[in-house]
Amino acid sequence: MVRVFERAAGEHDLKSHFSGECPRVAVIGTRGFPSYYGGFETLVRRLAPYLAERGWEVDVYSRPGHVVDEKIPPGVTQRFTHGVESTSASTLSYGLTACADAARRKPDVALVMNVANGYFLPLLKARGIPVVLNVDGLEWEREKWSTPAKRVFRAGATMSAKFADTLVADSLEIGRHWRENFQRDTTFIPYGGDVPDSPNAHRVRERLGLEPGSYVLAVARFVPENTMQEFFDAVRLMDSSIPVVVAGSASPDDPIQRAAAALAAKRSNVHLLGHLRDDELLHALWSNAGVYFHGHSVGGTNPALVQAMACGAPVVARDTVFNREVLGDAGAFTSVNARNISDRLTELLSDAGRRASLSSAARDRGDEHYSWEQVLGAYERCISEVAGSCLALSGRHGESR
């Protein structure tokens, strides 16, 4: 069974389980607060201040050097621990030190991101700390990971299924997968999108000299499961007069990064912006795109796709069960083939009526199913219920820590 989050919080006090001092939640498994790296970090940037405003004390475990220098709102605390800075060891090492520190501090509940941290849940459970764990996507199916790394993620998922009190899935399809393969129910809470105050076309004109509706946009890290190599192959097949804007990158020696750089060197219509931390510019790019290409394939509900919908971008997406779940009829779909991608992008870019229809449908669907108001409220209800239930069972209800 997949438990779907409710739209409204209702009349009851979400923190009625707690007495005395403010409840405390530890957020573990992201690069920290505030960070602009990916979906988990986007969620935490929104969720931590929201919970603090609602009376929670929020400890966000953070990695030194991975957060930006911004004002920390009252009620939110950065807690830095140390780990090994490497592709293969960073998640596990930082997860271990964060869980060990949280176990010592003993918050009312832990919100843990990523099944790789499932190995360390026994540390929290031994201290009576209830755990809500966001399972993310199917990490053990990502092409970027080696076979040993995939096994590590798969085993971490097994540990997560065994020790987490509640599992959160950002996709109904991901929830089905967990029920069938791990015999665990999940609570469905997707990502949200920010509706921009205005299209901010001037930002796109100032930065790139492009007019609204004139360009193809892609926003993704350059990894195989995001279909970026096929996208760049498709760009080579498109008319060189069509502007192409790409926000994303990989390491300089990555083959997809090298292919992108070579293409941009040959064709002046290709604009590589790298990884963008400027949300306003990103929203302006989505809001004014002629077509947005979304090639993500294994991640469940993808934050970039939800944000593109909130901005009203006409979408051509890789045809996966996850992207169809999110878009419904509010997007066009393509196979993983350069010629097909090129044709779908070109066709939609040249059809103003179809683009307007998809833009309107995307905004409506995003507002109905993927608003931050719904998402943040659902997370608070989830962690409140899990913490309150565990407090009642353990006899801690009404006691001060």
Side-chain angles (χ1 to χ4, degrees), residues 52 67 122 137 143 208 250 258 263 278 296 298-299 322 326 373 380 390:
V67 297
E143 295 178 48
L208 301 168
R258 291 201 304 267
L263 181 62
D278 184 340
H296 299 64
V298 298
F322 305 117
V326 175
E373 180 183 0
E380 187 186 15
C390 290

Side-chain angles (χ1 to χ4, degrees), residues 31 39 46 48 57 62 86 95 101 122-123 132 201 254 267 270 295-296 309 354 364 378:
R31 281 162 173 75
R46 299 299 301 263
E57 295 291 335
S62 304
S86 75
D101 188 77
L123 293 174
V132 175
D254 180 87
R267 299 183 63 162
V270 177
H296 299 64
M309 293 166 66
R354 174 75 167 148
D364 290 345

Side-chain angles (χ1 to χ4, degrees), residues 59-71:
D59 293 339
V60 183
Y61 281 86
S62 304
R63 303 181 187 181
H66 289 262
V67 297
V68 298
D69 185 15
E70 293 181 1
K71 184 178 180 180

Side-chain angles (χ1 to χ4, degrees), residues 29-289:
T30 75
R31 281 162 173 75
F33 177 90
S35 174
Y36 290 80
Y37 179 77
F40 279 159
E41 287 75 20
T42 300
L43 170 62
V44 172
R45 284 206 321 274
R46 299 299 301 263
L47 182 60
Y50 175 88
L51 292 175
E53 290 172 0
R54 301 270 291 174
W56 289 80
E57 295 291 335
V58 186
D59 293 339
V60 183
Y61 281 86
S62 304
R63 303 181 187 181
H66 289 262
V67 297
V68 298
D69 185 15
E70 293 181 1
K71 184 178 180 180
I72 307 300
V76 178
T77 301
Q78 294 171 317
R79 296 211 180 275
F80 291 98
T81 62
H82 294 283
V84 178
E85 290 290 350
S86 75
T87 302
S88 59
S90 60
T91 297
L92 290 171
S93 59
Y94 279 106
L96 172 60
T97 57
C99 285
D101 188 77
R104 179 177 65 85
R105 295 179 185 277
K106 204 172 183 182
D108 292 294
V109 60
L111 174 61
V112 179
M113 309 295 194
N114 196 323
V115 296
N117 293 308
Y119 292 99
F120 315 121
L121 299 190
L123 293 174
L124 302 175
K125 301 301 291 182
R127 291 282 286 161
I129 302 168
V131 174
V132 175
L133 187 141
N134 184 313
V135 301
D136 198 17
L138 308 179
E139 285 289 333
W140 50 94
E141 293 187 5
R142 294 186 187 273
E143 295 178 48
K144 69 177 182 177
W145 297 121
S146 65
T147 298
K150 291 178 180 180
R151 289 174 181 159
V152 167
F153 279 113
R154 188 64 169 74
T158 300
M159 294 286 285
S160 299
K162 182 176 181 180
F163 289 103
D165 295 278
T166 291
L167 298 174
V168 171
D170 62 41
S171 157
L172 294 172
E173 181 63 22
I174 292 289
R176 182 194 64 78
H177 182 93
W178 276 77
R179 178 59 183 164
E180 292 181 359
N181 293 280
F182 297 96
Q183 292 72 55
R184 279 295 306 266
D185 293 336
T186 58
T187 295
F188 168 57
I189 310 178
Y191 288 100
D194 291 301
V195 178
D197 293 332
S198 72
N200 282 326
H202 70 280
R203 291 293 309 274
V204 180
R205 291 192 186 98
E206 291 169 359
R207 177 72 181 264
L208 301 168
L210 298 177
E211 291 300 316
S214 67
Y215 59 92
V216 173
L217 173 68
V219 179
R221 289 196 289 272
F222 294 177
V223 293
E225 59 267 20
N226 289 349
T227 326
M228 291 306 292
Q229 182 61 65
E230 293 83 356
F231 172 75
F232 288 122
D233 291 341
V235 171
R236 289 188 181 89
L237 300 174
M238 292 166 54
D239 192 303
S240 61
S241 66
I242 297 174
V244 177
V245 180
V246 182
S249 64
S251 62
D253 60 345
D254 180 87
I256 302 178
Q257 179 69 54
R258 291 201 304 267
L263 181 62
K266 289 179 62 177
R267 299 183 63 162
S268 60
N269 64 311
V270 177
H271 306 268
L272 300 181
L273 305 184
H275 177 69
L276 288 184
R277 237 171 48 186
D278 184 340
D279 280 350
E280 184 183 276
L281 177 58
L282 265 175
H283 295 175
L285 289 169
W286 271 309
S287 298
N288 294 282

Side-chain angles (χ1 to χ4, degrees), residues 299-321:
T301 296
N302 184 268
L305 180 55
V306 171
Q307 187 55 60
M309 293 166 66
C311 292
V315 179
V316 170
R318 177 170 170 172
D319 195 351
T320 70
V321 64

Side-chain angles (χ1 to χ4, degrees), residues 15 18-24 55-57 108 398-401:
K15 296 182 288 298
F18 305 98
S19 176
E21 61 190 286
C22 294
R24 181 175 293 274
W56 289 80
E57 295 291 335
D108 292 294
E399 299 177 5
S400 61
R401 290 186 299 281

